[in-house]
Amino acid sequence: MNASENQAAVIVGIDGSQASIHAAQWAVDEALDRGIPLRLLAAIKATHPSNEDYYRDLKHAEASLRAAEAVVEATGLPVKVETEIHRGQPAAILVSESRDADLLCVGSVGIGRYSRALLGSTATDVAEQAHCPVAVIRSQPDQSRKQINWVVVAVANNANDTVVDQAMSEAQLRRLPVLAIGATRQGMTDTASDDLDNRLKPWRRWYPDVHVYPVATGADVARFLHDNDESWAPLAVIGSDDAGRLAEIIGSHPHPVFRRSEASVLIVRQ
């Protein structure tokens, strides 16, 4: 397998699942935008009880990487693809590799009652421990839906400029509008709306092609998405301080509380 040590890359964890393949597809634009390679990384166990078990594990990893690489190549986009196989615990490997990465992407099928288990310990551990931004990507949703697509981000008072800037950059890259939510103060909704508009002025100037829609609300991203089931957001951008709330945003389709089953999440290091 190809390998490039200590070279910046967009890294995608590949495990053979459709979710990880879709994460690789999603990451193509990220690598192209940065002008760096897309590195597909698979992990096998550190130890094996027999040679047969080792070769079975290795063949699965190789086949998973070939499938992901084929899907990336099918996009026809000129991205440089590298593949690597590491031995060890997947989350620990990805966290270690994130030290030199620009972005780390993992797939998720969503979460339900046992959120951490169903989201996957790899996704949750990486989201909370990685040294670079992390994108947790949901499997591709039903494209027949007609709702408006949004990049959703919370705008705080001078506290999360890096997060907002990354949301704007993603919206520009993916040609989506931004839904910028800001907290209101009781009895001062108009003032809060004006404050939010003022906070957004620099980004409107820096990203003139991105349409920004401010919404003054008392909710954070997780609560806003839960309370507004009629609007669909393919990407929510949050800060690393909120990584522990990943389960509330990803959601699972049948879960009666978490309804954001199609949302992917980008966790930005602040």
Side-chain angles (χ1 to χ4, degrees), residues 66-90:
R66 284 195 299 270
E69 189 172 13
V71 169
V72 170
E73 290 177 351
T75 66
L77 297 172
V79 62
K80 180 182 179 181
V81 180
E82 302 171 349
T83 58
E84 295 182 0
I85 296 177
H86 292 245
R87 300 185 70 167
Q89 202 275 336

Side-chain angles (χ1 to χ4, degrees), residues 45-181:
K45 291 177 289 188
T47 60
H48 297 81
S50 66
N51 285 338
E52 288 184 357
D53 186 62
Y54 166 74
Y55 284 112
R56 183 166 50 248
D57 200 10
L58 180 61
K59 286 181 179 179
H60 173 74
E62 291 175 337
S64 299
L65 288 172
R66 284 195 299 270
E69 189 172 13
V71 169
V72 170
E73 290 177 351
T75 66
L77 297 172
V79 62
K80 180 182 179 181
V81 180
E82 302 171 349
T83 58
E84 295 182 0
I85 296 177
H86 292 245
R87 300 185 70 167
Q89 202 275 336
I93 291 169
L94 290 170
V95 169
S96 177
E97 291 295 307
S98 73
R99 293 182 183 277
D100 298 312
D102 268 37
L103 177 67
L104 190 58
C105 302
V106 293
S108 175
V109 296
I111 57 176
R113 180 178 179 184
Y114 303 102
S115 61
R116 203 172 173 86
L118 296 181
L119 173 62
S121 60
T122 297
T124 51
D125 289 348
V126 167
E128 295 172 3
Q129 300 173 26
H131 304 281
C132 69
V134 176
V136 181
I137 305 302
R138 292 301 311 273
S139 293
Q140 193 163 4
D142 181 1
Q143 296 298 318
S144 66
R145 303 183 80 172
K146 301 299 183 181
Q147 294 130 319
I148 296 174
N149 297 339
W150 306 94
V151 173
V152 178
V153 65
V155 180
N157 288 327
N158 303 316
N160 67 337
D161 286 3
T162 303
V163 177
V164 178
D165 195 67
Q166 187 62 56
M168 295 293 291
S169 179
E170 289 295 326
Q172 179 172 268
L173 176 63
R174 301 185 183 279
R175 299 179 181 178
L176 293 174
V178 169
L179 198 63
I181 62 176

